[in-house]
Amino acid sequence: MSYSEIIRKQNDFFNSNQTKDIGFRIEQLRKLKALLKSSESVLYEAIYADFKKSEFDTYSTELNIIYQDIEESIKKLPKWSRRKKVRTNLVNLPGRSYIISEPLGVCLVIGAWNYPYQLTLSPLVAAIASGNTVVLKPSEVSPATSAVLARLINASFPPELMVVVEGGILETTALLDQKFDKIFFTGSSRVGKIVYRAAAKNLTPVTLELSGKSPAIVTSNSNLKEVAKRIVWAKFLNSGQTCIAPDYVLVAESVREELLLLLKSQIIKNNYSFENGNYVQIINESNFNRLRCLIDANRIYHGGETDLQNRYIAPTLLTGVSFDDQVMESEIFGPILPVISYSDLNDAIGKIKSGSKPLACYIFANDKTIRNKLLNEISFGGGAVNDALMHFTNSNLPFGGVGSSGIGNYHGEAGFKTFSHFKSILNKPFWLEPNLKYPPYSNRKLAWIKRLIGK
Ligand code: NAD
């Protein structure tokens, strides 16, 4: 089927109003969960083939999140989609005012490879829960997971409701030429701009989940041992190929040495390896080569070993790094952690603010005043105080970037809102019609208007 035919069919199906029914949406979500549950073994095989991601990591960072999204949507859909009454202003009394949510229509979801299930299926769940139809385009960079998603979903759901289209730049460009009612994109800021341009042609609304350099700020007054444990886990999970991984550490000069020792011993303790199931391959050779070039041998504090054949890069700590170094130019997106010290917190804030707005920021500080100063002065998508990454798992926290790290957000109710339009309605009875607004105008009418609504 050509892309235009798929979209025509989805449009027709959407216009049949079947997706407006909450029961229908819940049924599809249940079906999707059952499909994933019964296919877990092939999902694990595919992701292992792509980059040796273990069952433990796949379940805990991908499937489990999707299952939770589905369950939450099923449970809360009636509430989320309920007509919401709002107050009516004086001049419209005795009318009533309310907001009705409605699905947007035919949605395009473009995913990234680094969490190939979660980053495609979580938006899919939100789009279906909101009553849309979906064309899903996983990343070609993780070909096995893309293929398994296509095989499973296309065999189980009608293409007029949801369909997986596989492909790379060529296919995505052709898809972007079509007219959608919503485009939800996860990927780099570079490609995000391409998607935004394509969407603008049809004034299609977009959600762009993009990238950035997310700092972890470690102040002098924090529980360094716990800090090191949390930063190391967040950074080296998925071998650093996580959009919200701490990209680099900014640490108070007075505790730099202590933190470095703790980071190193935590890395050693975690014993990262493919065999232990807690480390993954770098996704492909070009990313491997890109990352290898970022490891300046003179700056290695720990790690630095690489193995092209296995696409392995050891968890690496760099010191003596300055903001002018190549590793600080753009998002690292791999297991390399520069640790940079600061002596003046305001300088550190200035450095962060001189770059693009980060997708995440992690603030490690026991001092509430300092925490609040950092939260107040730095703009970033979202983040955590005294932790890293875990904000992602709370579906009550809308997830998304700001500035070049993204537009819009999702997760939980935010996902429902992202794929919905909110129609504002004023509903008036006929039994009362004050004539103030109608001609002929008079000074007496104006006096009444001033008295009733004038400020
Ligand atoms: P990418 O931008 O290269 O690709 C993302 C998607 O865009 C893929 O499906 C790909 O096929 C498509 N694409 C690539 N080039 C294209 C082009 N020229 N025209 C049209 N479509 C194109 O990103 P990636 O390498 O798959 O993922 C890694 C990036 O994604 C990192 O920068 C990471 O920070 C970011 N990311 C962001 C989030 C988030 O939630 N904000 C999550 C994961 C990854």
Side-chain angles (χ1 to χ4, degrees), residues 111 113-114 119 137 140 172 186-188 191 209-211 243 331:
W113 56 264
N114 58 326
L119 294 174
K137 213 296 290 174
E140 75 287 8
T172 318
T186 303
S188 60
V191 179
E209 297 284 343
L210 308 177
S211 50
C243 56
E331 179 193 24

Side-chain angles (χ1 to χ4, degrees), residues 22-298:
I22 302 296
F24 174 84
R25 301 182 200 175
I26 289 175
E27 193 187 319
Q28 306 313 312
L29 294 175
R30 289 216 168 98
K31 193 172 152 188
L32 180 64
K33 184 175 174 196
L35 172 68
L36 297 173
K37 279 262 173 211
S38 64
S39 313
E40 277 187 359
S41 59
V42 290
L43 293 168
Y44 291 139
E45 269 169 37
I47 203 163
Y48 192 80
D50 276 337
F51 59 133
K52 287 199 190 323
K53 187 158 174 171
S54 68
E55 184 174 327
F56 188 99
D57 274 356
T58 305
Y59 184 80
S60 56
T61 67
E62 306 220 37
L63 298 184
N64 180 44
I65 292 177
I66 300 159
Y67 296 152
Q68 282 184 41
D69 283 346
I70 292 177
E71 286 307 324
E72 184 180 6
S73 299
I74 289 173
K75 190 166 152 218
K76 298 189 179 160
L77 244 185
K79 183 170 167 232
W80 291 343
S81 58
R82 198 175 299 151
R83 181 183 287 198
K84 296 206 170 49
K85 278 194 209 142
V86 293
R87 275 185 57 188
T88 301
N89 57 337
L90 187 63
V91 293
N92 284 309
L93 289 175
R96 287 176 297 126
S97 303
Y98 43 81
I99 301 165
I100 302 172
S101 67
E102 67 176 18
L104 292 170
V106 179
C107 301
L108 173 63
V109 172
I110 303 175
W113 56 264
N114 58 326
Y115 289 82
Y117 297 136
Q118 194 267 320
L119 294 174
T120 47
L121 297 178
S122 279
L124 174 81
V125 167
I128 293 296
S130 316
N132 300 280
T133 69
V134 181
V135 176
L136 179 63
K137 213 296 290 174
S139 172
E140 75 287 8
V141 177
S142 49
T145 49
S146 171
V148 80
L149 284 174
R151 184 164 65 73
L152 293 175
I153 289 179
N154 294 350
S156 307
F157 290 92
E160 56 270 29
L161 174 64
M162 64 174 102
V163 68
V164 176
V165 171
E166 288 195 90
I169 297 179
L170 206 71
E171 292 77 4
T172 318
T173 307
L175 272 173
L176 288 170
D177 262 347
Q178 305 291 323
K179 187 179 182 310
F180 289 92
D181 298 301
K182 168 87 190 183
I183 300 177
F184 186 104
F185 171 82
T186 303
S188 60
S189 299
R190 183 184 65 81
V191 179
K193 289 178 190 169
I194 297 173
V195 172
Y196 205 5
R197 263 199 300 274
K201 278 189 301 199
N202 293 310
L203 291 178
T204 301
V206 292
T207 298
L208 302 175
E209 297 284 343
L210 308 177
S211 50
K213 275 184 101 56
S214 304
I217 305 164
V218 183
T219 60
S220 55
N221 179 7
S222 44
N223 307 15
L224 290 184
K225 196 157 180 257
E226 205 54 45
V227 171
K229 197 172 177 183
R230 294 180 186 183
I231 289 181
V232 166
W233 175 79
K235 175 70 185 185
F236 298 106
L237 180 77
N238 220 34
S239 297
Q241 300 168 114
T242 303
C243 56
I244 47 170
D247 188 88
Y248 61 100
V249 174
L250 266 176
V251 58
E253 180 62 41
S254 58
V255 293
R256 171 186 176 271
E257 282 310 312
E258 194 184 345
L259 182 71
L260 275 167
L261 284 170
L262 289 165
L263 288 169
K264 179 177 166 176
S265 71
Q266 189 63 47
I267 290 172
I268 295 167
K269 194 170 167 198
N270 287 5
N271 199 8
Y272 287 106
S273 75
F274 303 147
E275 293 70 34
N276 291 338
N278 59 4
Y279 213 52
V280 300
Q281 292 180 302
I282 303 306
I283 190 69
N284 56 23
E285 204 172 314
S286 75
N287 266 296
F288 176 90
N289 289 329
R290 177 184 64 79
L291 288 165
R292 192 163 55 177
C293 290
L294 296 181
I295 302 177
D296 177 344
N298 298 317

